[in-house]
Amino acid sequence: MQSQSMETIGQRLKRLRTAKGWSQARLAREAGLSSQGAIGNIESDARGYGESIVDIANVLETNPDYLRLQSDDASPSRQITQATSHLARIS
């Protein structure tokens, strides 16, 4: 079995998505992306992710740096957690 530290960005994204039981189409919709193809391209490491990685991380409740392989900490970043709390209070 491949260790998590050897994962690609696409493999990590797919693992997190499937752990939630979501399809590529649902993740794309939840993250505000135009199509499931964007998620498929990221998962197959065929395309970069740009700024959409922040939206994807937010809906997957993880840290954007974790998805970018820049951290082994999957917990949401403090800023995202605070922003989500604030939005819930004002909604």
Side-chain angles (χ1 to χ4, degrees):
M1 185 171 139
Q2 187 177 23
S3 73
Q4 288 184 4
S5 64
M6 302 282 291
E7 284 180 312
T8 67
I9 291 168
Q11 290 167 332
R12 187 168 278 189
L13 174 60
K14 184 175 183 177
R15 182 173 50 77
L16 292 171
R17 175 182 61 76
T18 57
K20 287 184 92 59
W22 287 3
S23 65
Q24 290 178 348
R26 174 148 184 212
L27 177 55
R29 189 172 52 252
E30 296 285 336
L33 301 175
S34 60
S35 72
Q36 83 178 52
I39 299 298
N41 286 336
I42 296 168
E43 287 185 0
S44 65
D45 297 307
R47 179 184 86 92
Y49 44 81
E51 290 299 314
S52 61
I53 201 73
V54 174
D55 296 324
I56 293 168
N58 191 25
V59 299
L60 290 175
E61 299 173 343
T62 193
N63 186 331
D65 287 340
Y66 179 74
L67 285 180
R68 291 183 190 110
L69 307 177
Q70 296 172 345
S71 172
D72 289 329
D73 181 10
S75 59
S77 73
R78 188 165 193 225
Q79 290 175 325
I80 290 174
T81 303
Q82 289 172 342
T84 303
S85 283
H86 177 70
L87 288 173
R89 284 193 309 267
I90 63 172
S91 295

